[in-house]
Amino acid sequence: MTKKERAKIVMTELEKIYPEVPIPLNHRNAYELLVAVALSAQTTDKKVNEVTPKLFSVAPNPEKMAALEEPEIKELIKEIGLSTTKAKNLKLMANQLLERHDGEVPSNFEDLENLAGVGHKTASVVMSQAFGVPAFPIDTHIHRLMKQWKLTEGKNVVQTENDAKKLFPKETWNKLHLQIIFYGREYSPARGNQEKDYLTKMLFEK
């Protein structure tokens, strides 16, 4: 079976399981999504969703976030890993949004990636989920499953992203990256029972 054939099976099966996919991080607008994704590095979406309601009740926009001191932000997000660094980045990011973008979240990769605490993956999530621009954010589940399904050699996330974009039609990217994440969590966890992972078995049946 070729990579293209395996990719087609992946798309078909994931569409059966997840015809609708919710956005994992709770948010009401592009700014809240940007903050939530920045907070999600090296922690779970579940933990971020537990912390952000209190944070957003105090600082729902860049103006309010910039007005807080770093220790105040850190206190609000202290349950999340790397809270000291993330608090510093959130304050700086808020000031950058006010100074460079009139307090609005920019809708292009270059400006997003120039914000404090925002890498390519975070920018890709925001572009995809807030602005509907085709992107393929690579998280640990996607990186792992793309290698498991032999759709990439996956030496790094850059290569995995490039391979995913070549194999899957552009119009599927925004939904498909979420479908793969949900499949990884529910059917093929990195550490845990792999018995439910029927898709990998299907791809490599003799």
Side-chain angles (χ1 to χ4, degrees):
M1 200 184 294
T2 66
K3 279 185 184 178
K4 278 281 187 191
E5 287 168 336
R6 286 199 297 277
K8 191 168 184 184
I9 289 171
V10 166
M11 285 189 293
T12 302
E13 291 303 313
L14 292 181
E15 188 63 28
K16 286 180 194 170
I17 311 173
Y18 305 112
E20 302 294 331
V21 279
I23 303 293
L25 291 166
N26 298 334
H27 64 283
R28 295 170 295 190
N29 52 51
Y31 178 66
E32 289 189 358
L33 178 65
L34 175 62
V35 169
V37 181
L39 288 175
S40 71
Q42 295 183 36
T43 193
T44 64
D45 291 347
K46 183 173 182 282
K47 178 54 70 177
V48 173
N49 287 336
E50 288 170 5
V51 167
T52 48
K54 190 173 178 185
L55 176 66
F56 294 148
S57 71
V58 176
N61 55 50
E63 292 84 357
K64 296 273 179 68
M65 189 74 77
L68 296 175
E69 297 301 324
E70 280 178 38
E72 293 177 290
I73 301 172
K74 179 175 161 51
E75 178 64 24
L76 289 163
I77 63 170
K78 64 185 177 184
E79 293 174 44
I80 286 178
L82 309 174
S83 58
T84 302
T85 301
K86 289 175 181 177
K88 182 179 179 181
N89 283 337
L90 287 184
K91 184 171 175 66
L92 181 53
M93 178 206 290
N95 281 312
Q96 290 170 332
L97 288 171
L98 293 168
E99 290 162 12
R100 301 175 188 170
H101 306 291
D102 298 321
E104 297 295 322
V105 176
S107 57
N108 67 81
F109 280 97
E110 185 178 359
D111 286 340
L112 282 169
E113 289 178 30
N114 281 323
L115 296 171
V118 178
H120 181 65
K121 184 207 159 192
T122 296
S124 295
V125 173
V126 173
M127 290 297 284
S128 165
Q129 296 173 9
F131 300 115
V133 174
F136 213 110
I138 302 296
D139 83 333
T140 53
H141 290 295
I142 297 174
H143 187 52
R144 178 172 56 82
L145 287 170
M146 286 284 291
K147 281 165 66 176
Q148 191 168 296
W149 295 335
K150 293 187 166 47
L151 298 177
T152 183
E153 291 176 6
K155 292 186 175 71
N156 54 57
V157 292
V158 175
Q159 183 190 350
T160 300
E161 181 180 343
N162 287 337
D163 288 341
K165 286 179 170 179
K166 284 178 196 160
L167 282 167
F168 299 114
K170 197 171 190 175
E171 65 272 14
T172 69
W173 294 352
N174 288 356
K175 185 176 183 182
L176 184 61
H177 83 268
L178 290 171
Q179 290 172 321
I180 297 174
I181 290 169
F182 281 111
Y183 185 87
R185 288 177 183 173
E186 293 182 37
Y187 288 82
S188 184
R191 290 178 292 278
N193 192 338
Q194 297 281 325
E195 282 183 17
K196 288 175 71 179
D197 183 8
Y198 79 94
L199 187 44
T200 301
K201 295 188 187 86
M202 182 186 286
L203 294 177
F204 299 104
E205 280 174 343
K206 291 285 182 281

